Amino acid sequence: GQITVEGHVLGEGDLKVVRTFRAPPGANPDDFDADGDGELLVILDLRLDEELMQAGTAREVVNRVQKLRKKAGLEPSDKVEFYYGLDDKNV
């Protein structure tokens, strides 16, 4: 299709819509990351909340246990006992 704007006929390919992101008023721009190719825009909210912090800690614990299992030469089917404690100053 085509459209006429103030006497100029514009056809397919004459216009390009480019999407950009600007942080909302009052928001910290460092809390967001956005990138796109002009047609698709992806916006990430980089703020950490308690759920993300807990998930990150859980992943770190699992990673360290797996490394220790490998270092000890254990097989995936070998059972291990795991104990942990929290230091009040790091909570």
Side-chain angles (χ1 to χ4, degrees), residues 10-40:
L10 302 174
E12 188 175 325
D14 289 334
L15 294 175
K16 181 176 182 179
V17 176
V18 178
R19 292 166 177 84
T20 60
F21 175 76
R22 185 174 47 231
N28 182 351
D30 293 335
D31 287 344
F32 302 95
D33 191 16
D35 198 9
D37 62 3
E39 293 183 25
L40 175 70

